[in-house]
Amino acid sequence: MHRFRPFVFALASLTLTLLSGFATGEDSVKLDFVNADIEAVVKAVGEMTGRTFILDSKVRGTVNVVSGKPVPKSLVYPMLQSALRAQGFVTVDGPGYVKIVPEAEGKTNPMPVIQGTVNARGDQLVTQVYTLKNESAAQMVNVLRPLITANNTIAAYPATNSLIITDYADNLRRIERVIESIDRAAGAEPVIVPVLNASAMDLAQTLNRILVEPASNVPGAATEPTQRVTIVPDPRSNTILLRSENPLRLARVRALIEQLDTPTSKTGNVHIMYLKNADATKVAQTLRSVMNGEAAAPAVVTPLTSTTPLGASAGMAPGAPAQPAIVANPFQPTGSGSSSMVNGVTIQADTTNNALIINAPEAIYNNLRAVVELLDVRRAQVFVEVLVCEITAEKAAEFGIQWQALNGLSSNNTQVIGGTNFNARGSGGNIIDTAVNIGSAGQGLNLGIVRGQVFIPGIGTIANLGLLARALESDVNANILSTPNLLTLDNEQAQVVIGQNVPFITGQYAQTGTQTTPTPFQTIERRDVGLTLRVKPQITEGGTVRMSIFQEVSSVQDLTINNASGPITNKRSLETNVLVDDGQIIVLGGLLQDALSNGEDKVPVLGDVPGFGSLFRYGTRKRTKTNLMIFLRPTVIRDAASAQGLSNDRYDYVIGAQKKSSPDERLYWPDTSTPELPQRPAK
């Protein structure tokens, strides 16, 4: 092929020269290149236009340029650009020369950068910068990318909201027109429609239910921008603000408002508002306080640390005088909140339907309705997880030798008796108790020497126990883990009690004297013993949670009847106010206790003799370590989906725990499977 290239070039030049002679004018030429080599065509065009071309080494192939009639010389170079583009090549203008490179490499070569209107034409490669005024440049990239040539680029610069496009001049002129059509101010100006007779809040709610909600309820269907209408009420001026890109739809909504804004035939200004989230009684009390210009009466809340005795009223301090009962009005309907006339406005709370009954003029009603709309919102909830970890290790040891010489007690001769006596009577470690009843010996190793029986006045016949050696070592470990959980509304107190209700004697009386039938009696107070948690969370605007916490861990230590004062309880309590981030774990408090007790009973002088003194000593040693830590993690739940996910997680956990605790099935055994929760219904 390379051998025929000079021949093809000569033939093309000869053809161009011959055809030039037949041109109709000096500035016109007739082109006829059929399967001509690119190098030959570029050289011929360079001679006609006076341009200098530099060909890249990758530029190879043939082109076809045929003109049925002579064309001006000014169009020869644009025709060459079009022919090269058809073969995948592009021209890049340089200082005094034109470079021909593959199309994929054209955007990396120096080329003109234009900002504003594109003046270049044809298949010239140009970089254009568009600065958008209304639309987002990042979103515009997805719209314009299909219009860009495959080997060229488009990019967005968010800092100045600009588009940078590298493409052919003719295509950029088309893209420029597309951008001018899209980059316009969205929507029309808002229109204010006054409402003379009805309530703007009620009309806006009705119109939104008719025009907006049906389209939003269709799954996967989005309202077209031209059909979208924005309806916003202004309760202060009792007007409705409308905005739409479709003038016809805007006029239709305005006509609906005029048709609905007609005087009503009903007399009076009684309005009913059904609340979705808030408590009607509290909202009514707040509105009356606002209308009257007074602070709302604080609600009676039981303090976190108060202990309400059984039978006492909540919120009443122990020992406080009883308050007189409030006689209900027999003419007031049962289940309705209180009401009063404030500045000519009556606000009544219907607790049965959780609704407000407002008797007020339209202007005042619109203002009250706007306040209620802001108050009647879904309140966030807080899920509080508390971890109480108590680890106790107790080690104790005791060792001692006791002896006694009681021989000859039955004779009348003078005898010498004696011995050692350690530990208290009844403790199981006293030699006298063991001699009286060997079964009363305490736990551990007990070794003794017995020879018959002896009689002791005042005690009776006992075993003649001459020696008792005791050794005991105990090791007690306890790991108690409690995980109480609470779910409560924002700024509402919650409480959980897990334990026992133990009776405590508070007083007793026994009638004595000459009466034959005494009438003793006792007064008993029951108290909760176990784990008690009271939490009152408050969510701040920054997303953190402020909590007032009262935590108590108590247990009964002694319930024996020997304790005349009543049961003995152990108590560990904590009361604090903390600020925690959502989902973070903090430690509230801890108790690290390490106690060592070392006791020794001995005979003076003899007990201090090395080696031999161990026969006259009795020692005990005890060490107790207690680690108590309390951790807390609050989680803010703002929507129903989060609450449902949390409930499903706990539900599945309980079902799994029940299945693990179910006993294995055995042949000929009755069915003793553990009752299980039913499976959650599928959505």
Side-chain angles (χ1 to χ4, degrees):
M1 182 63 186
H2 293 287
R3 293 182 299 173
F4 294 100
R5 184 171 297 172
F7 173 76
V8 175
F9 174 73
L11 180 60
S13 300
L14 178 61
T15 303
L16 181 60
T17 303
L18 292 175
L19 292 176
S20 300
F22 296 98
T24 57
E26 296 181 356
D27 294 335
S28 299
V29 62
K30 187 174 182 181
L31 304 178
D32 190 6
F33 297 102
V34 179
N35 294 329
D37 188 73
I38 292 180
E39 294 182 5
V41 176
V42 170
K43 185 174 182 180
V45 173
E47 292 179 355
M48 284 185 292
T49 60
R51 297 174 184 268
T52 301
F53 291 93
I54 300 176
L55 275 72
D56 190 271
S57 59
K58 302 182 184 64
V59 179
R60 293 287 186 272
T62 60
V63 295
N64 295 302
V65 181
V66 179
S67 60
K69 59 181 180 179
V71 296
K73 289 184 178 180
S74 59
L75 297 180
V76 173
Y77 179 59
M79 294 177 66
L80 175 64
Q81 289 179 320
S82 299
L84 292 174
R85 179 182 175 183
Q87 299 299 323
F89 305 110
V90 67
T91 61
V92 179
D93 294 342
Y97 64 88
V98 178
K99 188 176 180 180
I100 302 177
V101 296
E103 187 180 28
E105 301 178 4
K107 56 181 174 291
T108 61
N109 287 270
M111 64 185 68
V113 179
I114 303 174
Q115 187 173 8
T117 304
V118 180
N119 296 323
R121 292 182 178 274
D123 294 322
Q124 181 182 357
L125 204 61
V126 179
T127 298
Q128 178 76 9
V129 179
Y130 298 97
T131 302
L132 305 183
K133 299 180 180 179
N134 301 288
E135 296 295 333
S136 171
Q139 296 179 358
M140 190 71 74
V141 169
N142 298 327
V143 178
L144 300 178
R145 190 179 297 278
L147 305 178
I148 306 299
T149 308
N151 292 325
N152 295 326
T153 60
I154 178 174
Y157 184 60
T160 58
N161 197 33
S162 301
L163 291 173
I164 304 173
I165 306 175
T166 299
D167 206 348
Y168 297 101
D170 286 345
N171 196 31
L172 285 178
R173 298 172 69 87
R174 181 184 63 152
I175 293 175
E176 182 179 0
R177 293 192 295 270
V178 173
I179 293 177
E180 290 177 356
S181 302
I182 297 177
D183 188 26
R184 295 182 179 180
E189 293 295 329
V191 177
I192 301 176
V193 181
V195 180
L196 303 178
N197 301 289
S199 170
M201 302 287 293
D202 294 337
L203 280 183
Q205 184 176 0
T206 303
L207 294 174
N208 282 320
R209 188 181 299 115
I210 296 174
L211 301 175
V212 179
E213 293 183 2
S216 61
N217 292 334
V218 179
T223 306
E224 297 182 2
T226 57
Q227 300 297 324
R228 188 179 305 154
V229 180
T230 304
I231 304 172
V232 178
D234 180 23
R236 186 185 63 84
S237 58
N238 199 35
T239 57
I240 297 178
L241 282 73
L242 303 178
R243 184 176 181 179
S244 177
E245 297 182 4
N246 191 340
L248 296 178
R249 192 166 180 82
L250 188 64
R252 177 57 181 162
V253 175
R254 189 165 187 172
L256 285 175
I257 295 176
E258 294 177 356
Q259 294 175 5
L260 294 175
D261 185 23
T262 56
T264 178
S265 59
K266 298 179 180 180
T267 58
N269 294 314
V270 179
H271 307 274
I272 300 177
M273 294 181 58
Y274 293 95
L275 304 184
K276 299 179 180 179
N277 302 285
D279 185 4
T281 304
K282 295 182 179 179
V283 173
Q285 183 179 0
T286 302
L287 293 179
R288 287 193 293 267
S289 300
V290 172
M291 293 293 296
N292 200 23
E294 297 179 356
V300 178
V301 180
T302 304
L304 294 180
T305 56
S306 65
T307 302
T308 305
L310 185 65
S313 301
M316 183 182 298
Q323 300 295 329
I326 299 176
V327 181
N329 186 357
F331 299 100
Q332 182 177 351
T334 304
S336 301
S338 61
S339 64
S340 60
M341 181 72 70
V342 180
N343 297 329
V345 178
T346 304
I347 302 174
Q348 173 80 14
D350 183 13
T351 57
T352 304
N353 299 309
N354 196 33
L356 294 177
I357 304 175
I358 302 176
N359 185 5
E362 290 293 337
I364 299 178
Y365 167 71
N366 291 331
N367 292 332
L368 294 177
R369 184 180 180 90
V371 174
V372 174
E373 292 287 344
L374 297 177
L375 295 177
D376 187 26
V377 295
R378 181 185 179 92
R379 296 174 60 184
Q381 301 181 90
V382 179
F383 178 69
V384 183
E385 297 175 275
V386 180
L387 176 63
V388 181
C389 180
E390 183 176 1
I391 301 174
T392 303
E394 180 178 331
K395 293 184 179 181
E398 60 178 287
F399 178 79
I401 298 176
Q402 305 175 61
W403 59 269
Q404 58 185 359
L406 303 178
N407 293 327
L409 284 178
S410 301
S411 65
N412 295 325
N413 299 328
T414 301
Q415 301 288 338
V416 177
I417 63 173
T420 58
N421 182 1
F422 302 117
N423 295 330
R425 295 289 303 272
S427 62
N430 189 277
I431 189 173
I432 298 177
D433 292 338
T434 306
V436 174
N437 183 10
I438 297 179
S440 65
Q443 297 179 350
L445 178 62
N446 296 274
L447 297 178
I449 299 176
V450 180
R451 183 181 180 182
Q453 294 181 341
V454 296
F455 177 80
I456 300 178
I459 297 180
T461 302
I462 64 174
N464 187 9
L465 182 61
L467 178 69
L468 177 64
R470 294 194 71 253
L472 174 65
E473 182 176 354
S474 61
D475 190 354
V476 180
N477 295 320
N479 185 3
I480 302 174
L481 186 66
S482 302
T483 57
N485 299 331
L486 283 175
L487 180 63
T488 180
L489 286 174
D490 179 25
N491 208 23
E492 293 289 344
Q493 178 179 325
Q495 174 180 341
V496 59
V497 178
I498 303 173
Q500 296 177 320
N501 194 259
V502 181
F504 291 84
I505 299 175
T506 58
Q508 56 185 357
Y509 173 76
Q511 185 177 0
T512 60
T514 58
Q515 296 185 7
T516 58
T517 305
T519 56
F521 69 90
Q522 293 179 338
T523 58
I524 297 176
E525 177 185 357
R526 291 186 174 270
R527 298 179 184 176
D528 295 329
V529 177
L531 189 145
T532 303
L533 173 64
R534 298 189 186 98
V535 179
K536 185 177 182 181
Q538 182 180 6
I539 304 173
T540 63
E541 291 295 332
T544 57
V545 182
R546 183 183 182 275
M547 291 187 294
S548 299
I549 303 171
F550 174 75
Q551 172 79 39
E552 178 179 299
V553 179
S554 58
S555 61
V556 179
Q557 180 179 351
D558 186 8
L559 276 175
T560 60
I561 59 176
N562 296 330
N563 186 7
S565 300
I568 299 175
T569 59
N570 298 323
K571 177 180 177 181
R572 299 181 181 92
S573 63
L574 178 146
E575 182 180 3
T576 182
N577 296 320
V578 295
L579 191 66
V580 194
D581 292 333
D582 182 15
Q584 298 297 319
I585 300 177
I586 63 169
V587 58
L588 296 181
L591 172 64
L592 304 178
Q593 182 178 1
D594 192 349
L596 175 64
S597 61
N598 188 10
E600 187 177 58
D601 297 335
K602 62 183 178 179
V603 177
V605 181
L606 295 178
D608 296 330
V609 177
F612 179 75
S614 60
L615 299 176
F616 301 92
R617 289 197 304 265
Y618 195 96
T620 59
R621 182 174 299 176
K622 183 178 181 180
R623 184 170 185 176
T624 304
K625 288 185 177 181
T626 302
N627 297 330
L628 175 64
M629 302 295 291
I630 302 175
F631 301 89
L632 180 141
R633 181 175 70 174
T635 302
V636 179
I637 300 177
R638 300 186 181 275
D639 51 14
S642 300
Q644 186 64 30
L646 181 63
S647 300
N648 294 341
D649 179 69
R650 293 296 184 267
Y651 199 93
D652 295 339
Y653 172 78
V654 172
I655 292 180
Q658 288 181 340
K659 291 182 178 180
K660 291 181 180 179
S661 62
S662 179
D664 298 334
E665 295 183 1
R666 295 186 180 181
L667 189 63
Y668 304 115
W669 279 44
D671 185 9
T672 57
S673 59
T674 304
E676 297 181 2
L677 293 173
Q679 294 294 331
R680 290 188 291 105
K683 294 182 179 179

